[in-house]
Amino acid sequence: MIDADVRNWVVKVGSALLTDHGTGISADALDEWCRQIAALSTAGKRVVLVSSGAVAEGCRRLGFDVRPRTIHELQAAAAVGQSGLIEAYEQAFRRYERRIALVLLTHDDLADRERYLNARTTLNTLLDFGVVPIVNENDSVATDEIKLGDNDTLAGMVTSLLSADLLVLLTDRDGFHEADPRAHPDAPVVREAPAADKRLDAMAGAVAGSLGRGGMVTKLAAARSAARSGAHTVIAHGRSRDVLLKLARGESVGTLLTADLAPLDARKRWIAEQLRAKGELCVDLGASHAIIHRGVSLLPAGVTDATGAFRRGDMVRVLDPDGVEIAKGLANYDAVETRKLIGRKSADIESVLGYVDEPEIVHRDNLVVDASR
């Protein structure tokens, strides 16, 4: 059950809900969510809507029977469909006397610290003006290197970006099932669990819909992203009558994935949300244990290998001896320098490099341990 006083919401609506079996945007379905979001806004809630549907609408307008596979066709479909999607939202929200704004993001917007802060300021300013921001990935210019991957991921990142209280993922399922209900129709819904619970991974499966890119795997990842900023996540059926209003009243709906960890500070939240690392640092067992259980910095002595072409300040993944990611952080030295320092003591840095900047390869203030470790 969600506290009825929760004020800052991020609501994500998937393609399966927005489209009528792939034949374009369902105006009636879209109107229902707009009605509910307008009611939430009137009640003093601040709601950001993360909406899929641009590519699906573009596919309809371009006559595609199935979702394209090539990046240029997807970009074209997104460009064609985005105008139809935002036009539909504009018309629907106007009926409820609400203004909207379209905000398109790519991973580069959130990977750069200054642009990340600018995006947060813009969204908060729109909310202060009583505007409903509608956020989507900028599919018309995104490439394989910069695309966020799906709007579940984007919704989780926006929740963290805004330090929102609640993420609502509306889907065409009743919630998070213990097994894929398409293969196991009787699989029960998980009513409540910690987002970090590793037992959920096996339940999530890996199947996505034909129009959307997401699935329960990405919804679970989004919930864990939201949890890092202290936000709970609800996964619920989007066509359930008044689903958002029921949540606002504190009613139990769908699956609640709780944030059972202390929220990270703003800088560490930003680090945790970065999807693209520039390199990898392999560490020995002692360093791995110390990072996970004691939250210490990564020293040169604990590094066994360094791969990639990262520069000072770039994001790197930290891997344990089995190659499993245990943390992410910002490197104090570039890849060439780091490789020279492998296995060395911090006191040796100056003699090896000719200078010493920091005694650590990654300082603990710039190091975020994987919450599932």
Side-chain angles (χ1 to χ4, degrees):
M1 180 181 294
I2 296 298
D3 189 333
D5 293 331
V6 166
R7 184 168 182 242
N8 298 298
W9 296 44
V10 174
V11 176
K12 183 262 182 177
V13 180
S15 296
L17 294 174
L18 278 164
T19 60
D20 187 10
H21 303 290
T23 59
I25 295 169
S26 171
D28 290 341
L30 185 143
D31 185 80
E32 269 297 293
W33 298 306
C34 294
R35 176 184 64 81
Q36 294 178 63
I37 290 172
L40 292 176
S41 299
T42 300
K45 311 294 186 184
R46 291 157 56 94
V47 184
V48 174
L49 175 60
V50 177
S51 178
S52 300
V55 172
E57 173 66 7
C59 289
R60 183 193 70 80
R61 293 186 175 204
L62 292 171
F64 297 154
D65 293 327
V66 295
R67 181 186 175 90
R69 292 174 179 252
T70 65
I71 190 67
H72 63 274
E73 288 178 323
L74 285 169
Q75 290 171 329
V80 170
Q82 194 67 254
S83 60
L85 180 66
I86 202 64
E87 180 183 7
Y89 275 120
E90 178 77 35
Q91 292 176 354
F93 273 111
R94 187 181 296 123
R95 285 193 287 274
Y96 302 105
E97 300 181 341
R98 285 288 160 185
R99 294 167 296 171
I100 66 169
L102 175 62
V103 179
L104 298 176
L105 296 173
T106 66
H107 180 69
D108 272 4
D109 296 319
L110 301 180
D112 179 87
R113 181 66 175 163
E114 183 175 356
R115 288 158 70 180
Y116 176 94
L117 294 173
N118 286 341
R120 182 173 69 182
T121 300
T122 297
L123 288 170
N124 276 320
T125 302
L126 289 168
L127 291 168
D128 289 342
F129 286 152
V131 174
V132 178
I134 299 176
V135 178
N136 198 353
E137 183 179 353
N138 196 356
D139 282 314
S140 61
V141 299
T143 67
D144 284 331
E145 286 72 33
I146 66 173
K147 66 184 180 181
L148 291 162
D150 60 81
N151 278 337
D152 292 329
T153 302
L154 178 59
M157 296 180 78
V158 170
T159 303
S160 179
L161 172 75
L162 295 173
S163 300
D165 304 304
L166 177 66
L167 169 62
V168 182
L169 300 174
L170 296 181
T171 180
D172 58 351
R173 302 294 170 187
D174 294 330
F176 190 102
H177 291 258
E178 292 184 7
D180 188 342
R182 287 168 288 194
H184 306 277
D186 297 328
V189 172
V190 177
R191 291 302 172 190
E192 182 173 341
D197 190 338
K198 291 189 69 65
R199 292 175 297 178
L200 298 174
D201 293 270
M203 300 177 190
V207 181
S210 60
L211 288 172
R213 281 175 283 178
M216 283 301 163
V217 172
T218 59
K219 287 173 177 58
L220 179 57
R224 288 172 173 168
S225 171
R228 286 192 286 266
S229 64
H232 299 318
T233 297
V234 171
I235 301 173
H237 202 304
R239 290 204 171 101
S240 175
R241 178 69 180 174
D242 288 340
V243 58
L244 297 178
L245 302 183
K246 288 177 180 177
L247 282 172
R249 292 194 294 265
E251 296 182 28
S252 179
V253 176
T255 298
L256 172 62
L257 299 179
T258 58
D260 58 339
L261 300 173
L264 298 174
D265 63 35
R267 183 171 180 81
K268 286 202 171 186
R269 282 204 305 274
W270 172 70
I271 293 171
E273 294 310 311
Q274 302 315 304
L275 302 181
R276 292 189 300 147
K278 298 295 181 66
E280 296 178 341
L281 302 177
C282 298
V283 301
D284 61 29
L285 189 60
S288 174
H289 186 275
I291 289 170
I292 293 171
H293 298 290
R294 304 206 322 264
V296 302
S297 300
L298 174 58
L299 303 178
V303 180
T304 60
D305 194 14
T307 61
F310 56 90
R311 297 176 297 177
R312 173 180 168 84
D314 280 346
M315 179 69 57
V316 292
R317 299 170 65 226
V318 180
L319 311 180
D320 70 10
D322 295 324
V324 177
E325 181 180 321
I326 60 170
K328 291 191 290 190
L330 305 181
N332 283 336
Y333 296 93
D334 67 28
V336 173
E337 293 169 330
T338 300
R339 282 190 275 271
K340 291 179 180 178
L341 296 174
I342 287 174
R344 298 276 193 160
K345 295 180 179 180
S346 296
D348 297 334
I349 293 177
E350 186 169 9
S351 63
V352 173
L353 300 182
Y355 79 100
V356 59
D357 199 343
E358 303 288 348
E360 312 91 359
I361 298 297
V362 182
H363 192 277
R364 64 184 180 183
D365 290 346
N366 293 324
L367 188 66
V368 179
V369 177
D370 187 326
S372 66
R373 303 301 297 172

